[in-house]
Amino acid sequence: MSLVAVCFTLPVLYLNDPEDAGIRALVAVPLLLTVAGIVAYLREGLEASRAQLAEQARTDPLTAIGNLRMRDERLAYELARHRRNGRPLALMLLDLDRFKQVNDSEGHPSGDRLLREVARVLSETVRSGDTVARPGGDEFCVIAPETGAAEAQHLAERIELALSALTAAGRPLSASVGLALFPRDGVAADELIDRADQDQRLVKQAGGGERVRPLRAV
């Protein structure tokens, strides 16, 4: 815009009346620079708003962690990366035990508070490179890059121990945890999600995650 202002004023300076041309230049240059500043400010504000909206679209408004879209995007990114380096990846789906009892006996505000506490505990328990998301309801997801079966077992045990510090329906909170490993259980995102979901349902049908059971052997 500064270059435009200079180019605009050069013809003005060569008009027949130098004094009038100088006055016009003194008015035009600051005006154009002001307009340029306003345009730059508005553009930066628009870009910041777009970035904020994009982040909000990936964030669960209740718990402030990732949502379903974040899970899918992050899982796709990590799978592409792990296909290149040949390393394993763990996907965990956690379904809270007795959560319906909390809503029924204590009300939905208590249930919402519990979900926020679970999100906080998970975020504090997983490693810095892991991703925690809440796809919906009382289901949470952990994407653990560079993680094999033994490491996934240790991570699940840490999560269960951390969750047991919370209370649900008058008892320590537990979660039914389903696990899928790349590439053992699938190479595509939907394959891993389906496998982890099936595993989690089996745990839930067996009585839930009161005690973490050994994960499937490699």
Side-chain angles (χ1 to χ4, degrees):
M1 290 300 294
S2 299
L3 179 60
V4 171
V6 172
C7 294
F8 176 81
T9 55
L10 284 178
V12 176
L13 293 175
Y14 284 96
L15 294 177
N16 294 331
D17 189 346
E19 182 177 352
D20 186 52
I23 294 175
R24 292 182 182 181
L26 290 174
V27 173
V29 171
L31 179 60
L32 286 175
L33 292 178
T34 301
V35 171
I38 294 174
V39 171
Y41 175 79
L42 293 176
R43 184 180 63 184
E44 291 178 0
L46 180 60
E47 291 176 352
S49 296
R50 286 177 178 174
Q52 184 179 12
L53 289 174
E55 182 64 23
Q56 290 176 350
R58 295 172 176 82
T59 302
D60 174 40
L62 177 63
T63 60
I65 62 175
N67 58 12
L68 177 63
R69 181 175 179 178
M70 170 67 82
R71 183 202 71 179
D72 291 345
E73 290 183 357
R74 192 66 184 177
L75 183 57
Y77 168 80
E78 290 295 350
L79 284 176
R81 187 169 69 87
H82 284 68
R83 290 189 191 101
R84 293 193 298 269
N85 61 29
R87 295 284 296 162
L89 174 145
L91 172 68
M92 295 183 189
L93 296 183
L94 298 85
D95 189 82
L96 303 183
D97 299 329
R98 301 182 307 279
F99 181 74
K100 186 176 183 299
Q101 298 179 27
V102 175
N103 279 335
D104 292 343
S105 62
E106 303 177 22
H108 288 279
S110 295
D112 290 346
R113 284 194 294 271
L114 180 60
L115 292 175
R116 286 191 289 267
E117 283 297 297
V118 170
R120 178 188 61 80
V121 168
L122 290 176
S123 298
E124 294 175 352
T125 303
V126 301
R127 303 162 303 183
S128 59
D130 298 339
T131 298
V132 177
R134 177 183 170 234
D138 61 332
E139 184 176 274
F140 291 81
C141 167
V142 175
I143 302 172
E146 313 286 337
T147 302
E151 295 166 307
Q153 173 67 47
H154 294 154
L155 179 58
E157 291 173 351
R158 292 203 309 272
I159 289 173
E160 275 291 317
L161 180 61
L163 290 178
S164 66
L166 304 177
T167 301
R171 298 165 60 184
L173 178 64
S174 62
S176 300
V177 182
L179 171 73
L181 292 177
F182 167 87
R184 186 189 72 181
D185 298 322
V187 296
D190 56 349
E191 293 175 337
L192 295 176
I193 292 172
D194 288 344
R195 186 58 181 268
D197 184 66
Q198 294 172 12
D199 197 35
Q200 178 231 83
R201 291 178 184 274
L202 291 175
V203 176
K204 181 71 74 174
Q205 293 171 3
E210 298 288 344
R211 182 178 61 187
V212 176
R213 51 69 172 130
L215 302 178
R216 299 187 308 277
V218 176

